[in-house]
Amino acid sequence: MHNTEVTSLTLLEALRCPACKGALEHAAERFRCPCCEADYPIVGGILDLIPGCVDEQITAMTAAWDSPGLDYDASIAQTAPERLRAIDAPLLAQCADGHKVLEIGCGTARLKQPVEQAGSQYIGLDPSLTLLRQGVARGERELIRGVGEYLPFPDGCFDVIIGGYCSFRYIQLDRLYPECARVLKPGGVLAFTLWNNWAFFCYSVAQSVRQRRFHAPRFKAGHCNDVVWPTREIKRLARFGFTVESILSTKRVPFASRLPLIRSLVDWEGYWSGALGALIGYDIIFVCRRQAGPGSRLPPK
Ligand SMILES: [Zn+2]
């Protein structure tokens, strides 16, 4: 399939080499960067902009999300709709008429429709060909294969970047945040959701019991970005030029539905606000603004 059948012309013009950020040239069934001579193939109609210079961690993460049998929509369907509404709403609230919105870790482009309904123009990026193909099969066009650590876009081109559900969980945040700062316009918004570390621990315990696998889950998996101390995340975001404007945490406590006295206090309606709320909240939603100052900074060596 020719690339332009699945990707709009506007999107193609906005793409850059993810490695050197040079402009790309379209050559038959691939794209080429004349600056660093990198080749980017079109795989099954999807432009593959994962650069060859990625490290082992990115390669492993990409492979994990690319397993052919992966049915992400089925696993999302097992998530409570109230929870999805609660974690999606603050992200979608950032998308307004005329905004250019990038979703990093878009999966099958679940959020594309609500973003467009808000009047914004949507572009989705994900490392998983398996998931992107499922989105393309539904007729979605503005989907690119790529990774958050190497964004294939020019400086200052998006109004909003969103990371839906737990899509930032496996990305190297010290490399993602400066890339987000780079491609956002000054004053642009980065909004994303992470799990609270204790919440994921409880979820893992519940899954182990349900599946009768009685091994102790690790409290802090080294490769995941679950939040342990929210203030640490605020400081890291500040290091890369972001001001955290709000932190919202979902009010869910596992097993609380069996405790009548606190059941009414811990449903998916409403949020706990701020860093204190993020200590006890289940999902933690960060809404950050790129400072209009000197621009993006390079990640630490
Ligand atoms: Zn290049």
Side-chain angles (χ1 to χ4, degrees), residues 29-199:
E29 292 299 299
R30 66 199 170 93
F31 275 68
R32 189 174 170 279
C33 173
C35 300
C36 71
E37 300 190 336
D39 265 323
Y40 297 103
I42 297 161
V43 184
I46 297 165
L47 179 54
D48 182 351
L49 286 175
I50 296 183
C53 56
V54 297
D55 62 22
E56 283 176 14
Q57 190 177 338
I58 296 174
T59 305
M61 184 268 297
T62 301
W65 283 98
D66 237 349
S67 59
L70 186 63
D71 191 344
Y72 183 68
D73 287 345
S75 69
I76 281 283
Q78 290 174 4
T79 306
E82 300 86 357
R83 181 183 179 202
L84 290 179
R85 269 199 299 276
I87 60 178
D88 290 347
L91 274 53
L92 295 173
Q94 307 307 318
C95 306
D97 201 20
H99 276 170
K100 276 184 78 175
V101 176
L102 168 67
E103 183 181 12
I104 297 176
C106 67
T108 58
R110 181 179 68 87
L111 293 179
K112 181 169 185 276
Q113 196 180 8
V115 166
E116 290 182 339
Q117 279 169 351
S120 296
Q121 184 192 342
Y122 175 96
I123 293 177
L125 184 92
D126 200 278
S128 170
L129 267 182
T130 303
L131 302 188
L132 292 169
R133 279 193 184 118
Q134 291 166 21
V136 168
R138 285 205 313 263
E140 308 298 3
R141 283 161 55 89
E142 280 76 14
L143 305 181
I144 298 286
R145 189 184 196 212
V147 293
E149 294 90 338
Y150 294 89
L151 293 178
F153 305 104
D155 297 359
C157 65
F158 290 102
D159 299 283
V160 178
I161 295 177
I162 55 175
Y165 199 24
C166 43
S167 63
F168 282 13
R169 200 161 180 258
Y170 309 97
I171 303 181
Q172 298 169 48
L173 297 178
D174 283 331
R175 300 169 75 182
L176 170 72
Y177 292 158
E179 274 291 80
C180 290
R182 183 182 65 77
V183 304
L184 274 173
K185 295 175 184 173
V189 170
L190 169 66
F192 60 94
T193 302
L194 292 173
W195 283 67
N196 200 328
N197 190 44
W198 72 262

